[in-house]
Structure formats: C-alpha cells, structure tokens
C-alpha cells in the first residue's frame, strides 16, 4: 500500500468519524439533558399526594390540548360545575391567575408547566386526548378555516394590520389571533393564502390542476402533505399532546423547554423518556377524556368528578328530550376562537349560552345540561366552518373528504406523531379503567382503580414503578443518567480504537429507536 493510499484511507476513515463524533456528542448532550429533565419531573410527581388522581382539589385546571373538542367540554360541562363567580379569569390569551381570588376553574391552552404558576398540590388536572391523525387534520382545517375568514371579508388589502384585532378581546372573547398556537399558525397560513392567490392571479399557477382535491389544492391553499412537513408544524402540532402534557411546548413557562423539545425531535429515541413522564402525569390527573367518546367522557366526568361536589339526583328521561343529531368529530369545536367581525355566529361565549344556574345542580342535571348544549354547539360550529370556506376557497373539509387523502400521507402523520400515538393508547387504557370504576359503583369511595385494571402491556411506568417502588424508580433513573455519561466516554474510546465498533453502535441505536417507538 503506497503512502498516499494509506493517507487517503486514513483520511476517509477519520474525517467522517469526526463528523459522526460531533453528532454523537450532540446526541449525548441531548440524552443527558432529556434524562435529567425526566428525572426532575418524576421527582416532582412523587411529591404529590398518593390520592392526587382521585380527590378533587380546590382548583380544577382543564389542560386544553388544541383540537380535542375542549371548547365543548368547557362551555357545556366544566363551567356548569362551579358558580360563575368561582371561575378564574379568562386565560386563553394570557394567564390571569391570582391565588388570592380562590377561583376554582381554570381553562386554557397552556401546557403542564403552568403548574409552576399554580398551587400544584391543590390543583386537579383534567384533559382530553384525541387520536393524533384526527388532531393533525383538525389543526390543518382550523388554520385554513380561520385564515380563510380574512380572505372572505375583503381584508386582503392590508392583512397584516389585522393581527392587532385582539384589542377587542375584552368584551367579545379572545381573538383566535391572540391565542397560542393559532397566534402562530393562522397568520402564517393567511400569508400563504395570499401568496398563492398572487401567483394564481399572475397566471403562474394552474387554478385547477389534475389531482385537485380538498386536501391537495395547491393553487389555493397549502396542501395537507406540505403542511405536515413545515418546520412550524413539526414544532407546534406533531406530538402536540405529549409536549403539552409534559410542559415542553413552544409555549412553555420553563426555559429549557425548547432545548428538550428539539432534542426529542432530533433524536426520536429520546422521546421514550418524555413519553414516560407524560404517562405518569396522566396517571396523576383526576380525569382523562377521549375526544372520540366525547359524550361518554362527559358522563363519566360528571359521575367521577362532578359526583365529588354534587348530589347524584335522578336520571333524566331521555325519550322526552328532542335530541339534536350529533356530528362526528370534525365538527368538534375549540376555544373562543374568533376572527374580527365575522358575520357568522361569532358571538361571545356569554351570549351563546345562558349563565349557569347551579342551584340544586345534580350529577344527572349536569349531564343533561351537557347534552343539550353540546348538540347546539356543534351545529353552530359546523355552519361557521362551511360559511368561512364557501366564501373564500373551493375546498370542503369533512370526514368524507378526509378519505381522499392518500394512505402514504396518513402513514407519514402517524410516523411524525409516534409519541402521541402511544400516549393515545395509554389514555384509552385510563379511560377504560374510569369506565370500570364508574360501573362498579365505587366512584364515590374511589376504589383502587389502578391496581385492579391497568393493562400491563401499555403501562410501562406504572408496572415498573410498582415493581420497584417509587424511590427505587428515582434511583434507576439516576442509573440511566450515569449510563449516558458512560456511553459518552465509551464513544470517545471507540473513536481512538477505529471505526468498526463505532458503526456497530450507531446501528444498534437505530434499531432501538424503531423498536421503542
Ligand atoms: C390579587 O388579588 C388581591 C386581592 O383581590 C389583590 O390585592 C392583589 O393585588 C392581586 N394580585 C395581583 C398580582 O393582581
Ligand atoms: C414558537 O414558534 C413560533 C413559530 O415557529 C416562533 O415564531 C416562536 O418564536 C416560538 N416561540 C418560542 C418561545 O420558541
Ligand atoms: C367591523 O364591524 C364594524 C361595525 O360593524 C365596521 O365598521 C368595520 O368596518 C368592520 N371591520 C371589518 C374588518 O370588517
Ligand atoms: C332547590 O331546592 C330547594 C329545597 O329542596 C327548593 O326549595 C328550591 O325551589 C330548589 N330550587 C330550584 C331552582 O329548583
Ligand atoms: C363543496 O361543497 C359545496 C356544497 O356542499 C359544493 O357545491 C362544492 O362543489 C364542494 N366543493 C368541492 C371542491 O368538493
């Protein structure tokens, strides 16, 4: 072998390793950051009382994950549980919480890190979880729908000025544009609509190209398959439920959230650590609803949580009511999201519904209120959507239209929401156990729901924790962290020993990633 070719060989071996090593260091840094964050989160959870998930505390916080039908739950269910004067100040656009007010119901799109601003020990948390594919669809549709309202109302001359519309929010409910995540997604989508229109009018795009469909109408609106790959959507929408339950969203109160979130996005296998924290937090929540089972969720909530402060009362005769037909999930609505001056039903919340009459409210009374209200609510929402789009864009969004979307795109959404898919499966287990608790009639004594019912397959944390006890769990977490340091040292040594083992190690990691997620 000539000196030159030896040199070349060395060059080829060493240079890529340098690059790989730098990446590997980055990975180790991330690994340590994520694991120590997870350790701290587990520690904080262990400080909560044993019965935290059973006993309704002084403050009920609804952690409203966007596009999970939370507005219906808030307006039709939660707000009836407490007299109006006990509702905390409206906090969707910004947190207005004053502990000396002793308010009892707080609702917004903040993430779990809001607990750093609340009395954590005397706060019960309720949330809704939805299948992530539906949630992504819904986030797309809603972004387009609200952006389209600017289009429909001849606001195209100076679209940018409309961002200030939030000023009117005091009297009329918060403008969508002042509420995270719509404060980012809607102006971005709106600007994109205008760009596409400009291109279309200048003759640069075929208005009705082949393959035109409701979710792929690129000359009018960003197609779904493009939307899901946008950096903003990767940051804000995908795995959004997991990030929100872990307090790691783009809207977090904790400083390191962005760093941890990016680590998990860059190195998906690290997602397991935050997923574990998310599951443990779900375990500590007082109730977890499923968007797909919104009615059943509402009834269960009324029994399990409402039942702690309300008398049961009498079931209400269903036959005597004139039920409004219910619509499937795409019509489920969300927080007080109003673009300025809409002509369609954009009425402040307080005008849509009469103020709650809590006098002599019972569990069954609460359920009845929910059912009457939810039907009306969905109809209003559906109408608004139809009108918003009709005037602006040649597309319709519906459950039926969703079926046009190619399986590849759906697979991609699933892949990009691996954490949320797992969290959803976990929430389904929790939901089942709530059903059993309610059925077995122990909702009032709060039987040992956990030990009875949890499914061992999907419940890594609980099983692990129960097996070794929660203090040993912390010890094990520390071992994991130490393991990270050792791996880093080992990588350095491997670098000295040449590249073969190094490659092997990388391959292993990749395998592990697919296995775990
Ligand atoms: C909280 O409420 C109390 C009593 O209503 C008031 O004195 C105090 O200034 C409030 N704090 C803030 C930060 O608004
Ligand atoms: C959140 O995301 C938006 C859009 O990507 C970005 O403009 C904003 O700076 C982010 N905020 C934080 C705190 O990361
Ligand atoms: C909003 O409504 C007011 C009064 O109804 C009207 O004067 C104003 O022009 C409207 N603004 C927009 C942006 O449509
Ligand atoms: C509430 O109950 C009390 C006593 O049972 C009764 O006198 C009162 O009329 C009830 N109020 C309403 C609004 O039903
Ligand atoms: C959307 O729905 C309306 C009315 O239901 C219909 O007239 C229109 O053709 C539909 N557009 C598309 C793109 O399917």
């Amino acid at each position: 072998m000539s000196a030159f070719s030896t040199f070349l060989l060395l060059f080829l071996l060493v240079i890529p390793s340098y690059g790989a090593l730098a990446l590997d260091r980055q990975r180790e840094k991330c690994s340590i950051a994520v694991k120590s964050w997870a350790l701290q989160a587990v520690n904080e959870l262990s400080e909560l009382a044993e019965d935290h998930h059973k006993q309704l505390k002084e403050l009920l916080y609804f952690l409203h994950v966007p596009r999970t039908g939370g507005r219906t739950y808030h307006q039709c269910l939660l707000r009836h549980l407490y007299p109006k004067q006990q509702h905390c100040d409206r906090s969707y656009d910004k947190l207005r919480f004053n502990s000396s007010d002793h308010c009892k119901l707080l609702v917004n799109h903040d993430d779990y890190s809001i607990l750093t601003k609340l009395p954590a020990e005397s706060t019960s948390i309720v949330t809704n979880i939805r299948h992530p594919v539906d949630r992504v669809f819904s986030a797309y549709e809603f972004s387009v729908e609200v952006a389209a309202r600017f289009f429909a109302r001849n606001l195209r001359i100076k679209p940018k000025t409309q961002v200030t519309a939030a000023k009117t929010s005091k009297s009329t409910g918060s403008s969508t544009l002042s509420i995270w995540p719509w404060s980012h997604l809607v102006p971005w989508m709106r600007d994109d609509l205008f760009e596409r229109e400009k291109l279309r009018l200048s003759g640069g795009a075929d208005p009705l190209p082949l393959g035109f469909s409701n979710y792929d109408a690129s000359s009018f609106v960003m197609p779904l398959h493009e939307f899901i790959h946008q950096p903003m959507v990767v940051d804000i929408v995908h795995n959004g439920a997991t990030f929100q339950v872990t307090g790691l969203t783009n809207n977090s109160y904790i400083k390191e959230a962005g760093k941890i979130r990016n680590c998990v996005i860059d190195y998906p296998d690290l997602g397991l650590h935050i997923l574990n924290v998310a599951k443990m937090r779900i375990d500590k929540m007082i109730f977890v609803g499923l968007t797909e089972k919104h009615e059943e969720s509402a009834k269960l909530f009324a029994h399990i949580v409402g039942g702690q402060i309300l008398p049961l009362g009498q079931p209400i005769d269903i036959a005597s009511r004139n039920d409004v037909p219910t619509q499937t999930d795409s019509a489920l609505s969300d927080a007080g999201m109003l673009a300025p001056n809409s002509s369609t039903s954009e009425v402040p919340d307080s005008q849509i519904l009469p103020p709650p009459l809590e006098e002599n409210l019972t569990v069954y009374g609460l359920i009845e209120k929910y059912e009457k209200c939810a039907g009306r609510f969905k109809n209003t929402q559906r109408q608004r959507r139809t009108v918003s789009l009709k005037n602006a864009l040649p597309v319709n969004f519906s459950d039926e239209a969703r079926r046009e979307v190619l399986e590849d795109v759906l697979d991609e959404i699933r892949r990009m929401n691996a954490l949320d898919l797992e969290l959803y499966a976990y929430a389904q287990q929790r939901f089942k156990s709530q059903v059993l608790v309610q059925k077995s009639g122990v909702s009032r004594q709060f039987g040992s729901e956990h030990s009875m019912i949890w499914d061992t397959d999907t419940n890594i944390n609980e099983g692990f924790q129960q097996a070794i006890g929660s203090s040993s769990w912390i010890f094990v977490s520390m071992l994991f962290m130490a393991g990270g340091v050792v791996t880093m040292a080992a990588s350095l040594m491997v670098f000295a020993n040449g590249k073969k083992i190094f490659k092997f190690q990388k391959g292993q990691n990749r395998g592990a990633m697919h296995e775990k997620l």
Side-chain angles (χ1 to χ4, degrees):
M1 210 186 268
S2 76
F4 177 71
S5 59
T6 309
F7 175 75
L8 192 69
L9 191 66
L10 262 179
F11 183 80
L12 288 177
L13 281 177
V14 171
I15 297 302
S17 298
Y18 255 124
L21 185 68
L23 274 181
D24 211 51
R25 273 209 190 120
Q26 187 55 36
R27 192 195 182 288
E28 287 307 324
K29 264 191 195 164
C30 267
S31 173
I32 289 168
V34 170
K35 284 171 187 169
S36 59
W37 170 85
L39 180 64
Q40 197 194 336
V42 171
N43 264 330
E44 276 163 18
L45 270 179
S46 69
E47 280 162 20
L48 292 177
E50 199 61 22
D51 67 347
H52 196 82
H53 63 294
K54 296 178 191 166
Q55 283 287 329
L56 181 60
K57 307 290 181 195
E58 188 186 323
L59 175 66
L60 179 63
Y61 174 57
F62 178 35
L63 192 151
H64 179 180
V65 179
R67 310 317 294 165
T68 57
R71 192 183 185 195
T72 312
Y73 281 94
H74 175 209
Q75 294 297 329
C76 299
L77 185 70
L78 299 177
R79 70 197 288 271
H80 294 292
L81 193 55
Y82 299 99
K84 196 168 179 158
Q85 62 274 17
Q86 292 180 357
H87 297 181
C88 303
D89 289 342
R90 177 185 289 274
S91 293
Y92 271 101
D93 52 343
K94 97 181 215 288
L95 183 60
R96 299 181 188 86
F97 179 79
N98 183 339
S99 59
S100 51
D101 290 347
H102 295 286
C103 62
K104 289 187 182 303
L105 176 66
L106 180 66
V107 181
N108 68 16
H109 281 324
D110 285 354
D111 66 23
Y112 195 95
S113 66
I114 194 178
L115 283 190
T116 59
K117 309 279 177 204
L118 304 177
E121 272 182 34
S122 47
T123 302
S124 291
I125 302 183
V126 55
T127 196
N128 256 345
I129 305 285
R130 184 180 196 177
H131 193 289
V133 173
D134 292 328
R135 210 179 63 80
V136 169
F137 263 103
S138 185
Y140 170 75
E141 292 166 356
F142 191 72
S143 304
V144 172
E145 178 196 331
V146 180
R149 289 185 206 149
F150 292 96
F151 231 56
R153 262 173 286 122
N154 284 330
L155 302 178
R156 44 191 84 194
I157 302 139
K158 281 190 232 149
K160 294 240 148 87
T161 59
Q162 291 305 316
V163 179
T164 54
K167 275 181 193 154
T168 57
S169 68
K170 267 237 167 85
S171 52
T172 64
S174 305
S175 160
T176 309
L177 292 176
S178 60
I179 299 172
W180 184 90
W182 315 114
S183 51
H184 298 304
L185 291 166
V186 169
W188 168 70
M189 183 60 82
R190 178 201 57 202
D191 292 350
D192 184 78
L193 288 180
F194 284 109
E195 282 303 311
R196 284 173 202 263
E197 182 189 49
K198 233 196 274 167
L199 190 65
R200 209 166 56 240
L201 295 182
S202 72
D206 184 357
L208 290 171
L210 273 165
F212 184 90
S213 78
N214 291 303
Y215 291 90
D216 187 6
S218 66
S219 42
F220 290 89
V221 51
M222 182 188 303
L224 178 68
H225 62 83
E226 228 175 282
F227 174 83
I228 59 173
H229 290 292
Q230 300 302 308
M232 191 187 289
V233 175
V234 171
D235 197 34
I236 291 183
V237 178
H238 296 315
N239 288 322
T242 304
F243 286 131
Q244 206 158 341
V245 169
T246 47
L248 295 172
T249 64
N250 161 283
N251 190 37
S252 176
Y253 290 99
I254 58 171
K255 259 201 316 221
E256 74 217 282
K259 185 172 131 197
I260 306 283
R261 191 176 63 255
N262 286 327
C263 279
V264 170
I265 291 172
D266 291 345
Y267 305 102
D269 58 319
L270 295 178
L272 190 68
H273 300 280
I274 73 159
L275 186 63
N276 279 340
V277 171
K279 288 176 178 177
M280 291 170 87
R281 285 184 175 168
I282 290 250
D283 288 345
K284 286 286 188 188
M285 290 183 184
I286 193 147
F287 187 82
V288 176
L290 296 177
T291 307
E292 289 77 5
K293 299 190 172 177
H294 52 93
E295 194 170 347
E296 198 183 348
S297 297
K299 286 180 183 167
L300 275 177
F301 175 89
H303 282 282
I304 295 176
V305 181
Q308 297 192 34
I309 50 177
L310 302 175
L312 187 61
Q314 292 297 315
I316 285 124
D317 180 15
I318 292 171
S320 68
R321 282 198 323 248
N322 45 345
D323 277 323
V324 192
T326 51
Q327 159 81 348
T328 43
D329 56 19
S330 67
L332 285 175
S333 47
D334 254 85
M337 309 301 184
L338 316 177
N341 272 31
S342 169
S343 54
T344 59
S345 66
E346 286 186 354
V347 195
D349 294 344
S350 55
Q351 287 175 28
I352 297 176
L353 304 161
L357 284 171
E358 317 74 17
E359 230 181 304
N360 302 354
L361 185 67
T362 63
V363 168
Y364 284 111
L366 182 63
I367 292 173
E368 194 201 10
K369 277 175 190 293
Y370 171 81
E371 292 189 334
K372 280 188 177 161
C373 163
R376 253 184 306 163
F377 222 79
K378 277 169 222 154
N379 283 337
T380 312
Q381 206 67 19
R382 206 175 340 161
Q383 281 163 12
R384 190 204 286 180
R385 159 169 297 179
T386 311
V387 171
S388 298
L389 288 176
K390 195 171 72 188
N391 295 336
L393 297 169
V395 294
N396 296 321
F397 297 137
S398 62
D399 289 352
E400 206 172 35
R402 285 183 187 186
R403 285 183 219 118
E404 297 163 5
V405 174
L406 298 178
E407 194 58 32
D408 285 357
V409 177
L410 301 182
D411 281 343
E412 194 66 2
I413 297 175
R414 286 184 205 109
R415 189 186 64 75
M416 298 179 95
N417 287 274
L419 297 173
D420 271 14
L421 268 176
E422 281 225 18
L423 191 67
Y424 179 67
Y426 195 78
Q428 284 178 306
Q429 291 302 320
R430 168 77 196 252
F431 192 79
K432 261 189 222 163
S433 81
Q434 288 167 167
V435 172
L436 288 177
V437 165
Q438 212 268 315
K439 269 195 187 141
S440 65
V442 294
S443 59
R444 271 143 208 281
Q445 306 109 277
F446 307 103
S448 51
E449 88 185 72
H450 279 252
S451 51
M452 287 190 320
I453 300 143
W454 289 121
D455 177 318
T456 42
D457 275 350
T458 48
N459 201 319
I460 313 164
N461 293 313
E462 196 74 13
F464 201 175
Q465 243 189 359
Q466 273 170 6
I468 63 178
S470 60
S471 54
S472 341
W473 166 253
I474 290 163
F475 176 69
V476 170
S477 308
M478 284 172 81
L479 275 184
F480 269 126
M481 259 179 72
V485 177
V486 172
T487 316
M488 197 159 110
S491 313
L492 287 168
M493 274 161 57
V494 165
F495 172 61
N497 287 338
K499 164 172 187 232
K500 248 188 188 156
I501 317 171
F502 185 64
K503 252 192 169 164
F504 169 69
Q505 200 191 26
K506 275 183 72 182
Q508 252 189 343
N509 281 346
R510 214 172 299 132
M513 177 165 96
H514 288 303
E515 238 170 47
K516 284 171 187 163
L517 299 180

